[in-house]
C-alpha cells in the first residue's frame, strides 16, 4: 500500500515519527510519505526508524492562500530541503502562525473563552508547527469542548468569526518553489468543500503552468461528485492521481491507509522528481 499524506507531532498529528513508521509497517504500508504542515522537522527521526520493506517519502504539506483568500494545501514531496527559497517561505509561515494565534485568542477571550498563549503552547511539542488543532487541544483541556471535531465545528472552522488567516504563499508560487527544489507538487484535497471555500476549477490551468504534478483525489473529505469532477481535470491536464489518509493519529478519525495511491501513479509521480530521493532502510 502507498500512503502519501500523514502527520506527526511535528505538526498537528499525535504520533511521533517513530510511532508513525511502526503503525504504518503494521498496517502493511510499503511507501509512506511524512508531510507535516510547513516543516521538515520530523524527517530525521523518521529516517532513523525506517525498516524494510518500507520506503520513505520525505515531504511537507505547505499552507497556501490565493489572492482571493482561499486556503489551499500543497503537498511537496521529494524536494531538496536545502533549497533556500522554499525553506525560507516555510519558516516565514511557521513564524507567522504565532501572531495569528494571538489574534484568534484575542477574539476568543472577548467571547469569554479564557485561553492563553501559554495554554496553547503547552499542547505543542518542541519544534512543531503551531496550528488550530493545538488551540483545540487547549479548549479541550479547559473543558470548553470534548474533542477537536467539536472545537472545529463550533469555534475554529474557516468561516468562524474567530478565524484569522496567517501569511501563506500563493499556490502557484508554492508549486514553483517545490519544483525549483527538485520535488513534486500534489494539491491536497482541493475540493474538500466541508472545510470552506475551494478553488474554482479554472485555476488548475495556472497551477499546471507553474508545474503541478498531481491531484489528491481519493481523500475522506471529498464526496463522490467532487472526486468525479477532479478526475475530469486530471484527464484534461494528464496529471497523477493520488489517494491518501491524511492521518493525524488520534487528532482526526482518518486511519492510515484508508485511501491509497496506485503503484502506476506513484511510479509516474516519482519519475517527475529531479533526483531519486526515496529513502530505503
Ligand atoms: P491551521 O493550519 O492552523 O489553519 O489548522 C488547519 C488544520 O486543522 C488542518 O490541517 C487540519 O489538520 C486540522 N483540522 C481541520 N478541521 C478539523 C477537524 N474538524 N477536526 C480536527 N482537525 C481539523
Ligand atoms: Zn493537519
Ligand atoms: Fe490539508
Ligand atoms: Fe494534511
Amino acid at each position: 500500500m502507498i500512503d502519501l499524506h500523514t502527520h506527526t507531532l511535528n505538526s498537528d498529528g499525535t504520533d511521533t515519527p517513530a510511532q508513525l513508521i511502526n503503525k504504518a509497517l503494521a498496517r502493511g504500508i510499503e511507501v509512506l510519505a511524512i508531510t507535516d504542515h510547513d516543516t521538515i522537522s520530523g524527517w530525521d527521526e523518521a529516517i532513523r526508524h525506517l525498516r524494510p520493506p518500507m520506503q520513505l517519502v520525505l515531504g511537507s504539506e505547505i499552507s497556501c492562500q490565493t489572492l482571493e483568500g482561499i486556503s489551499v494545501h500543497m503537498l511537496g514531496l521529494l524536494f531538496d530541503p536545502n533549497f533556500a527559497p522554499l525553506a525560507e517561505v516555510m519558516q516565514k509561515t511557521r513564524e507567522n502562525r504565532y501572531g495569528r494565534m494571538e489574534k484568534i485568542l484575542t477574539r476568543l477571550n472577548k467571547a469569554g473563552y479564557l485561553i492563553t498563549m501559554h495554554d496553547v503552547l503547552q499542547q505543542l511539542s518542541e519544534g512543531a508547527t503551531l496550528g488550530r488543532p493545538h488551540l483545540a487541544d487547549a479548549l479541550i483541556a479547559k473543558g470548553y469542548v470534548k474533542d477537536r471535531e467539536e472545537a472545529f465545528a463550533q469555534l475554529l472552522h474557516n468561516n468562524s468569526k474567530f478565524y484569522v488567516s496567517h501569511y501563506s504563499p500563493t499556490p502557484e508560487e508554492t508549486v514553483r518553489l517545490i519544483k525549483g527544489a527538485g520535488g513534486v507538487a500534489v494539491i491536497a484535497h482541493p475540493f474538500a468543500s466541508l472545510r470552506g471555500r475551494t478553488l474554482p476549477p479554472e485555476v488548475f490551468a495556472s497551477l499546471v503552468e507553474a508545474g503541478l504534478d498531481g491531484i489528491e483525489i481519493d481523500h475522506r473529505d471529498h464526496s463522490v461528485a467532487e472526486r468525479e469532477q477532479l478526475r475530469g481535470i486530471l484527464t484534461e491536464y494528464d496529471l497523477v492521481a493520488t489517494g491518501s489518509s491524511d492521518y493525524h493519529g488520534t487528532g482526526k478519525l482518518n486511519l492510515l491507509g484508508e485511501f491509497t495511491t496506485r503503484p502506476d501513479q506513484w511510479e509516474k509521480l516519482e519519475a517527475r522528481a529531479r533526483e531519486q530521493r526515496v529513502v530505503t532502510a
Side-chain angles (χ1 to χ4, degrees):
M1 282 199 289
I2 302 167
D3 191 340
L4 297 178
H5 181 173
T6 66
H7 298 269
T8 75
L9 277 170
N10 288 276
S11 61
D12 53 5
T14 62
D15 287 337
T16 63
Q19 289 168 328
L20 170 68
I21 298 269
N22 288 337
K23 288 180 186 179
L25 274 163
R27 181 83 180 84
I29 291 167
E30 290 123 358
V31 180
L32 176 79
I34 174 172
T35 55
D36 278 305
H37 297 286
D38 307 308
T39 187
I40 63 163
S41 63
W43 287 13
D44 287 346
E45 182 182 336
I47 293 168
R48 282 199 305 276
H49 289 85
L50 188 64
R51 299 197 305 283
M54 186 183 283
Q55 299 189 339
L56 183 64
V57 178
L58 299 169
S60 175
E61 182 176 20
I62 300 174
S63 311
C64 320
Q65 203 174 36
T66 67
L67 298 176
E68 296 76 35
I70 300 170
S71 162
V72 174
H73 286 173
M74 193 66 66
L75 295 165
L77 307 173
L78 305 173
F79 60 84
D80 174 3
N82 297 315
F83 182 67
L86 176 58
E88 283 161 13
V89 161
M90 290 165 75
Q91 186 182 353
K92 183 171 169 185
T93 301
R94 288 196 304 274
E95 288 171 1
N96 203 267
R97 284 168 165 277
Y98 284 79
R100 175 260 198 148
M101 183 62 71
E102 297 276 11
K103 289 181 190 155
I104 298 177
L105 289 174
T106 302
R107 293 185 185 191
L108 283 170
N109 291 345
K110 280 190 186 139
Y113 296 93
L114 304 181
I115 303 284
T116 64
M117 194 67 175
H118 177 78
D119 297 331
V120 177
L121 295 181
Q122 275 197 317
Q123 304 296 331
L124 186 71
S125 54
E126 205 189 318
T129 304
L130 176 63
R132 281 176 283 166
H134 305 105
L135 170 54
D137 292 345
L139 286 159
I140 297 165
K142 289 262 158 130
Y144 288 116
V145 292
K146 73 172 194 303
D147 55 22
R148 284 187 181 182
E149 293 295 325
E150 189 177 305
F152 273 87
Q154 293 187 2
L155 302 167
L156 305 182
H157 58 88
N158 288 17
N159 300 318
S160 158
K161 62 180 174 185
F162 303 116
Y163 180 75
V164 179
S165 67
H166 53 77
Y167 157 80
S168 308
T170 66
E172 287 83 359
E173 186 184 349
T174 306
V175 170
R176 282 192 289 268
L177 287 168
I178 293 167
K179 300 306 292 180
V184 293
V186 177
I187 187 165
H189 47 70
F191 284 177
S193 54
L194 294 170
R195 296 171 176 232
R197 272 196 302 158
T198 57
L199 279 183
E202 56 276 15
V203 174
F204 277 86
S206 64
L207 291 175
V208 170
E209 198 184 298
L212 185 73
D213 296 291
I215 306 179
E216 185 181 59
I217 295 183
D218 291 320
H219 184 288
R220 75 153 58 205
D221 292 355
H222 282 152
S223 68
V224 170
E226 287 163 349
R227 286 174 212 191
E228 274 311 301
Q229 199 186 359
L230 284 169
R231 283 189 210 289
I233 294 171
L234 190 93
T235 309
E236 188 179 342
Y237 295 110
D238 189 31
L239 299 170
V240 174
T242 72
S244 33
S245 64
D246 202 357
Y247 174 74
H248 279 71
T250 57
K252 274 189 169 185
L253 301 172
N254 312 30
L255 300 173
L256 271 173
E258 67 175 22
F259 291 102
T260 56
T261 299
R262 277 176 22 196
D264 64 310
Q265 295 297 295
W266 166 237
E267 239 175 71
K268 190 173 162 190
L269 187 64
E270 194 198 343
R272 292 173 73 141
R274 194 189 299 148
E275 285 174 42
Q276 207 303 109
R277 284 187 192 276
V278 177
V279 184
T280 50

